[in-house]
Amino acid sequence: MNYLSFLNKLLIASAVILILTLFMNLQGQPEMNQPHPDMQRLLHDLTVENWELFEENYYNRDNLFDYINGGAELYLSYGFQGLITRLYQRGEQPDIIVDVFDMGTSPNAYGIFSHSCEQLSNEIGQGSQYTMGLLQFWKNRYYVSILASPETDESKETIFKIARVIEKRIETEGALPTILDYLPKEKLLPASIRYFKHHAWQNTYYFITAENIFNITSNTEAVLAKYQDLGILMLIEYPREEDASVAQDNFIRYFAPEDPIKKVVRIEDGTWTGERLSGNLLIIVFDAPEEAAVHELLNAIE
Amino acid sequence: MKKKIITRRDFLKDSASFALAGSLMTQLPVKMLAEEGRKSRVVLIRHQDVLDKDQKLQEEIVSEMLDQAVTTLTGASDVKKAWKQLINPTDIVGIKSNIWHYLPTPPALESAIVSGVRSAGVVEKNIGIDDRGILRNPIFKNATALINVRPLRTHYWSGVGTLLKNYIMFVEKPSDYHDDTCADLAKIWKLPHIEGKTRLNILVMFTPLFHSIGPHAFNAQYTWAYRGLLVGLDPVAVDATGLRILLARRQEYFQEERPLAPPAKHIYLADSRHHLGTADPAKIDLIKLGWQDGALI
């Protein structure tokens, strides 16, 4: 085989490989840019009486910013996988925006729902909330938001009709985050529970610090909850006991340096704070009115 | 450099060095620091009738409010002289607006700004208003002066949508500035195509959004008719003042401490880390004009 013949064969082989690679990429692409069939089914042939479907779009982790810009970080921090959004229009009535988020797992769907929960209802899905034109609910791995702003009687009624259809199409319920099992039930304010995996949300009720002193990451489970007359409980479950121990040391360093043994102190605003470590679970109480309240909450956890 | 960690306890026990951060990240009372140097002037102007009973903006009143604020800010004897202090007739002026669907910069205010810039002698073809398209807009590409105007609102990632944050559209990839919950937004203001060009900052406080829920972050229940404008030359001072009003509203509405999560640390860091302006209330000369009920500051 002479050199030119060899070169020709090499060029042909390279071209074939290139074409095959491109073909395989193109084959893979629709899967990347289209919603999962389970998700598509939730809105398939969904008609809304008197409202006309104006547009439908799909967003994934790469382009969610195009839809909700900076807010996308919130959803990404909860494991967002995909979003189908639909816009319905009707004359002078407000547009209805239906957003169905696939959060990958039911704990993540619960987490994003809990993030902005003010009044908890069980009317739709596994938990719902209606606030002036906005209905949010979660069921299984899906978090659903239906918005019509400003609210009208007709749009409100339609929002609930749409929600019931979608809810029914999500056939099974999903599990709650297991860390919620640790929360004592007595005096718990249920709508106050916040489940999260990013330190940005640790300050929801009470400014602790703007930094990640407890090393809350996507590998940890964290929950905040308010208790009537007792204070704020924060639980963080770490992959390993050593990780929890490091976070405990940081609590002592920044919040209880004067009493590293008892680890329950009265801080400068007169409230009490304290912590207890149980294996890989760090239990912290903030904003308690008295020392006994800290102990009551710390000791209520098995 | 190791990051300094400031906690709630630092705010509470230290009367001076952490007071600034404390007043921006919590509803803790503002502790005034020792006065030093020149103050940043911020004008808060409010008008009870700027919104009618249907919450519709009254254009004439908007224009009057802006005129009065700019005149007071500059200390000029009339509004035309005030605008001439801010803008030169040969300037090419980009008005960086905000088109967020639920709470955009009101067109009535944009028109009032254009009128003011025109009164300084700038020809219409040298004035542009834009938000998402500024990087491709020839006016903004060639701008010699910028006016920054947007409504104040809570934001899921930066804590609050501010004048500082409004310039994020001046970069090709805004998400490059999302690290650490947008901590270093002030860096954008030091980019060569922006630094030194901003002549006026206007934080719209007609109906600020003080709490966000849902993917679109908006719900009318969490807006309130504050009926005001905050105007200044120092964006950090204007944002810090707006943030204090917003935190006070959250306290008033929820009847308990409700810090922003995440905290709006980009405002604090714009002062302490990037030295873009001042967030310290002791270094802000706040002038309150007009309607005073429920000013919250």
Side-chain angles (χ1 to χ4, degrees):
Chain A
M1 186 167 58
N2 65 33
Y3 176 71
L4 281 176
S5 167
F6 171 75
L7 198 62
N8 274 339
K9 283 182 178 168
L10 189 66
L11 282 171
I12 290 165
S14 303
V16 169
I17 290 168
L18 184 67
I19 290 165
L20 278 174
T21 307
L22 283 172
F23 179 73
M24 284 165 76
N25 280 344
L26 287 172
Q27 286 285 299
Q29 217 161 12
E31 285 174 23
M32 291 275 291
N33 294 324
Q34 285 180 13
H36 190 280
D38 285 352
M39 197 180 177
Q40 275 180 316
R41 193 176 51 77
L42 301 180
L43 294 176
H44 181 68
D45 283 345
L46 177 69
T47 55
V48 180
E49 197 179 348
N50 298 322
W51 260 265
E52 193 178 334
L53 177 61
F54 182 72
E55 65 177 15
E56 175 178 302
N57 288 299
Y58 173 70
Y59 297 91
N60 58 31
R61 289 181 67 86
D62 295 329
N63 64 4
L64 185 62
F65 288 103
D66 295 342
Y67 186 55
I68 48 178
N69 197 265
E73 299 281 12
L74 169 67
Y75 291 82
L76 295 172
S77 79
Y78 279 99
F80 166 81
Q81 298 296 310
L83 159 69
I84 299 180
T85 178
R86 276 189 173 188
L87 178 68
Y88 292 91
Q89 293 189 324
R90 175 189 167 190
E92 295 298 304
Q93 287 288 323
D95 294 350
I96 296 179
I97 303 167
V98 180
D99 295 317
V100 178
F101 289 82
D102 178 354
M103 302 304 296
T105 67
S106 57
N108 284 339
Y110 168 78
I112 195 70
F113 172 77
S114 78
H115 178 268
S116 57
C117 184
E118 295 292 335
Q119 299 115 20
L120 187 59
S121 161
N122 292 320
E123 195 177 345
I124 309 277
Q126 291 182 257
S128 64
Q129 172 176 231
Y130 182 80
T131 321
M132 278 185 79
L134 172 66
L135 177 70
Q136 303 171 81
F137 75 90
W138 78 280
K139 188 174 180 184
N140 205 312
R141 60 194 275 181
Y142 300 104
Y143 161 72
V144 180
S145 158
I146 309 173
L147 173 69
S149 184
E151 175 192 71
T152 64
D153 291 343
E154 293 92 331
S155 65
K156 183 177 177 182
E157 192 184 331
T158 307
I159 282 172
F160 276 87
K161 278 184 186 168
I162 297 169
R164 289 198 178 91
V165 171
I166 298 171
E167 177 204 24
K168 207 172 170 183
R169 291 181 180 183
I170 306 170
E171 288 166 1
T172 56
E173 293 197 344
L176 285 161
T178 53
I179 194 170
L180 268 55
D181 296 341
Y182 295 116
L183 290 175
K185 301 291 178 285
E186 199 174 339
K187 298 184 182 176
L188 170 67
L189 303 174
S192 73
I193 300 172
R194 300 284 187 271
Y195 168 74
F196 54 103
K197 291 182 164 196
H198 193 289
H199 77 278
W201 323 122
Q202 70 194 2
N203 297 303
T204 296
Y205 296 121
Y206 177 91
F207 181 84
I208 300 165
T209 173
E211 309 307 331
N212 190 13
I213 62 171
F214 301 123
N215 300 322
I216 298 169
T217 69
S218 57
N219 293 323
T220 58
E221 308 265 315
V223 64
L224 275 173
K226 291 165 77 175
Y227 283 80
Q228 187 72 49
D229 302 325
L230 293 180
I232 299 162
L233 180 64
M234 182 157 85
L235 307 178
I236 311 166
E237 193 168 31
Y238 295 87
R240 304 175 309 157
E241 289 187 18
E242 302 92 285
D243 302 325
S245 183
V246 169
Q248 180 190 39
D249 289 346
N250 278 342
F251 174 85
I252 295 166
R253 179 176 172 194
Y254 293 111
F255 278 87
E258 57 270 64
D259 195 347
I261 306 299
K262 204 167 102 186
K263 296 169 239 164
V264 175
V265 296
R266 189 175 199 186
I267 67 166
E268 291 74 9
D269 60 3
T271 64
W272 289 80
T273 185
E275 65 81 31
R276 180 166 75 84
L277 192 63
S278 173
N280 63 341
L281 182 71
L282 181 62
I283 307 158
I284 305 175
V285 176
F286 289 111
D287 204 27
E290 52 197 20
E291 186 176 4
V294 178
H295 291 296
E296 185 177 336
L297 274 174
L298 291 179
N299 296 330
I301 297 162
E302 296 294 322
Chain B
M1 191 172 70
K2 201 174 173 193
K3 195 183 280 182
K4 176 151 185 64
I5 297 198
I6 308 171
T7 71
R8 181 186 196 84
R9 291 199 72 181
D10 295 314
F11 294 157
L12 291 166
K13 67 189 168 199
D14 195 305
S15 60
S17 57
F18 299 119
L20 171 57
S23 72
L24 292 169
M25 296 191 199
T26 72
Q27 281 102 322
L28 294 171
V30 176
K31 294 167 188 158
M32 300 296 274
L33 305 181
E35 186 177 332
E36 56 180 73
R38 200 171 141 212
K39 288 186 171 186
S40 288
R41 180 175 287 184
V42 173
V43 177
L44 168 63
I45 185 161
R46 298 172 68 224
H47 198 298
Q48 195 168 9
D49 300 324
V50 73
L51 296 167
D52 69 10
K53 62 179 172 43
D54 299 319
Q55 303 290 294
K56 191 169 177 290
L57 266 182
Q58 302 304 295
E59 292 187 21
E60 277 186 22
I61 297 176
V62 170
S63 183
E64 284 168 23
M65 288 171 74
L66 182 64
D67 286 351
Q68 205 181 337
V70 170
T71 308
T72 305
L73 180 72
T74 56
S77 56
D78 65 52
V79 64
K80 195 170 177 179
K81 285 178 183 158
W83 280 104
K84 283 187 169 175
Q85 281 191 32
L86 298 168
I87 303 287
N88 298 316
T90 53
D91 272 329
I92 299 170
V93 184
I95 300 168
K96 173 61 179 72
S97 190
N98 194 289
I99 59 161
W100 191 55
H101 176 63
Y102 298 101
L103 200 60
T105 304
L109 182 57
E110 291 173 344
S111 299
I113 295 167
V114 170
S115 296
V117 173
R118 296 280 319 264
S119 74
V122 181
V123 294
E124 194 162 354
K125 72 177 177 62
N126 285 343
I127 306 171
I129 305 172
D130 208 336
D131 178 7
R132 305 291 166 92
I134 51 175
L135 288 178
R136 293 168 300 283
N137 185 321
I139 292 281
F140 281 81
K141 280 181 170 177
N142 299 306
T144 56
L146 296 170
I147 294 177
N148 185 15
V149 54
R150 67 157 300 160
L152 179 68
R153 68 177 178 98
T154 43
H155 189 276
Y156 281 137
W157 202 242
S158 58
V160 63
T162 53
L163 291 162
L164 289 165
K165 188 169 184 307
N166 206 34
Y167 275 11
I168 203 164
M169 300 315 297
F170 276 109
V171 296
E172 286 287 352
K173 199 175 167 201
S175 58
D176 285 349
Y177 289 83
H178 284 179
D179 272 1
D180 194 14
T181 60
C182 300
D184 295 307
L185 287 172
K187 273 186 183 173
I188 296 169
W189 289 64
K190 304 273 174 102
L191 294 174
H193 61 300
I194 298 168
E195 188 168 23
K197 288 185 181 173
T198 304
R199 306 289 176 80
L200 186 65
N201 294 284
I202 304 166
L203 194 58
V204 185
M205 303 284 289
F206 293 136
T207 57
L209 178 71
F210 63 90
H211 185 61
S212 295
I213 57 170
H216 301 277
F218 180 83
N219 196 274
Q221 182 165 323
Y222 298 118
T223 62
W224 91 108
Y226 188 70
R227 305 163 198 266
L229 291 174
L230 276 167
V231 182
L233 306 180
D234 174 350
V236 187
V238 178
D239 280 344
T241 307
L243 175 59
R244 289 190 182 93
I245 294 168
L246 188 136
L247 288 172
R249 174 58 181 161
R250 286 170 70 86
Q251 175 89 42
E252 181 182 69
Y253 182 88
F254 291 112
Q255 292 292 301
E256 62 178 15
E257 181 180 339
R258 269 301 180 97
L260 290 167
K265 61 175 160 184
H266 68 277
I267 301 176
Y268 167 68
L269 293 175
D271 176 343
S272 62
R273 184 183 289 170
H274 300 287
H275 313 295
L276 183 67
T278 183
D280 182 349
K283 296 176 189 166
I284 296 171
D285 176 21
L286 177 64
I287 300 174
K288 295 195 277 184
L289 304 174
W291 188 47
Q292 296 296 316
D293 287 359
L296 299 173
I297 195 161

